[in-house]
Amino acid sequence: MPQVLAYACDDATTRFHKTTIDLREPGPGEIYFDVKYAGICHSDIHTARGEWGPVAYPLVPGHEFVGVVARVGEGATRFAVGDRVGVGCMVGSCGQCEMCGAGYEQWCTGTPGTLWTYRADADGNPTTGGYSQGFTVSEDFACRIPDQIPFDAAAPLLCAGITMYSPLRRYGAGPGTRVAIVGMGGLGHVGVKLAAAMGAEVSVISHGRSKEADARRFGACAFHATSEDGTVEALRGSFDLIICTVSANNLDYEGLMGTLRPYGVFVDVGLPEEPVRLPLRAFVNGAKSFAGSQIGGIRQTQEMLDFCAAHGVAPQVEIIGGEDITGAYDRVVDSKVRYRYVIDTATF
């Protein structure tokens, strides 16, 4: 049984400390890989701080991480020792239901349902995530990391990348479409890069202008600051698709819906903590749609990775060590990271 170093927190204060965890040897159809890099997602913070419900502590978070295959279980054929692989938000599903059959394992309706990376296993036992030096997983829930993607920058693609790629693909971002990304943090900056690589005309809508130069460097054609009077009003009827990455509860949904063209779509991936009020008249006028999106299935996640490799898309990351995780959580909440923290597990 592999025993590896990891970083865990013991309560909602999220003060991380080094620990040792035991992992199972890879069984039939499984692989074990040495984790090299793990991204810090805001969802890790919400979960670890108990903001999304009860937590089984001690908790080792991390649901966007990459590494190198070290051992292969019996019957596993998709990967070999030495392959670069990554794991995202889920590690299992029933594999038999309609959703799984269609490649939407994230919506599994069978038993036990979708198994998330560090929530609980089929028996309700807490599991560990990617803030560790090793991981054992079914080969069906690992993705191949193309050599063209820098290894450290690849980790956030397993969550942030697929979170943005999935709605961009679903709603037809491409040449001739005008896409707005609301918020340019860990999710938003990847969305700008992906939409631009797809050939869309990309705009960023942000509170202030501190990230304007970066947005244009990432591929945005325009940048709009809502802190400036008249900004939203001037954008009326501008966009075919808006993807909102902001989790604030006081967002101007009515104003933003007004910036859509008729039949346009507003997609939320930010998931505010509190319920929000939506102005239905803003949808009816122009036959507009409001949608939500989460991640994608394993097949689409691999498609996203291959797309990023082919188009030179990679997140902008700041590499940190294990002892930096506690402070990094506060800096993410304060929007002080440009644009995704990635933990180098060699520092454990």
Side-chain angles (χ1 to χ4, degrees):
M1 177 179 291
Q3 188 176 76
V4 299
L5 294 174
Y7 269 80
C9 62
D10 295 328
D11 53 42
T13 63
T14 59
R15 293 185 176 89
F16 281 86
H17 60 86
K18 187 183 296 188
T19 187
T20 301
I21 58 175
D22 293 321
L23 301 174
R24 67 182 183 276
E25 289 286 352
E30 292 186 325
I31 60 172
Y32 168 83
F33 65 96
D34 296 322
V35 176
K36 299 300 183 183
Y37 297 99
I40 293 179
C41 175
H42 207 140
S43 296
D44 294 340
I45 301 172
H46 285 306
T47 301
R49 291 183 172 176
E51 295 166 352
W52 283 353
V55 181
Y57 298 106
L59 179 71
V60 178
H63 61 214
E64 48 179 48
F65 50 103
V66 297
V68 178
V69 176
R71 290 194 283 284
V72 176
E74 180 183 356
T77 59
R78 294 185 56 226
F79 300 102
V81 172
D83 285 350
R84 304 198 324 168
V85 298
V87 167
C89 300
M90 54 185 172
V91 294
S93 70
C94 81
Q96 304 296 323
C97 69
E98 180 183 2
M99 290 293 99
C100 288
Y104 304 129
E105 299 93 345
Q106 75 274 28
W107 309 130
C108 176
T109 58
T111 302
T114 305
L115 296 178
W116 304 106
T117 301
Y118 60 87
R119 301 294 174 84
D121 63 18
D123 299 318
N125 300 312
T127 58
T128 55
Y131 296 6
S132 66
Q133 290 187 329
F135 200 77
T136 302
V137 68
S138 164
E139 65 172 354
D140 292 335
F141 283 82
C143 291
R144 188 176 302 277
I145 306 299
D147 292 337
Q148 297 92 329
I149 303 175
F151 213 14
D152 54 0
L157 292 175
L158 277 302
C159 177
I162 188 58
T163 295
M164 300 305 292
Y165 183 90
S166 187
L168 287 168
R169 273 291 183 235
R170 180 177 181 184
Y171 296 105
T177 62
R178 301 181 69 182
V179 175
I181 306 294
V182 180
M184 207 184 74
L187 289 174
H189 91 285
V190 178
V192 172
K193 291 188 174 191
L194 285 169
M198 291 174 181
E201 180 182 319
V202 188
S203 296
V204 170
I205 300 176
S206 184
H207 178 72
R209 291 193 174 273
S210 63
K211 298 178 180 178
E212 181 173 5
D214 285 344
R216 294 184 182 277
R217 180 164 55 88
F218 297 154
C221 301
F223 192 97
H224 308 283
T226 57
S227 59
E228 300 171 2
D229 290 341
T231 293
V232 174
E233 292 78 6
L235 292 173
R236 289 190 65 84
S238 294
F239 306 114
D240 301 294
L241 174 63
I242 296 173
I243 300 183
C244 179
T245 70
V246 176
S247 59
N249 295 304
N250 59 349
L251 204 63
D252 180 11
Y253 288 100
E254 184 170 10
L256 289 171
M257 290 297 295
T259 69
L260 284 171
R261 292 174 173 176
Y263 302 104
V265 182
F266 183 108
V267 182
D268 180 79
V269 298
L271 197 61
E273 294 176 32
E274 301 295 332
V276 299
R277 296 174 61 90
L278 297 178
L280 295 183
R281 188 178 299 276
F283 301 97
V284 174
N285 293 336
K288 301 165 187 174
S289 299
F290 187 99
S293 190
Q294 193 195 55
I295 54 173
I298 297 299
R299 185 167 60 209
Q300 190 178 57
T301 303
Q302 188 63 60
E303 176 188 304
M304 175 273 303
L305 289 166
D306 294 340
F307 177 89
C308 289
H311 293 83
V313 174
Q316 180 167 314
V317 302
E318 292 186 35
I319 305 300
I320 62 173
E323 292 297 324
D324 302 318
I325 298 173
T326 298
Y329 267 36
D330 291 331
R331 290 193 293 275
V332 170
V333 172
D334 293 337
S335 299
K336 293 181 178 179
V337 55
R338 297 287 180 92
Y339 284 86
R340 200 72 155 186
Y341 283 123
V342 171
I343 306 161
D344 181 354
T345 65
T347 65
F348 289 9

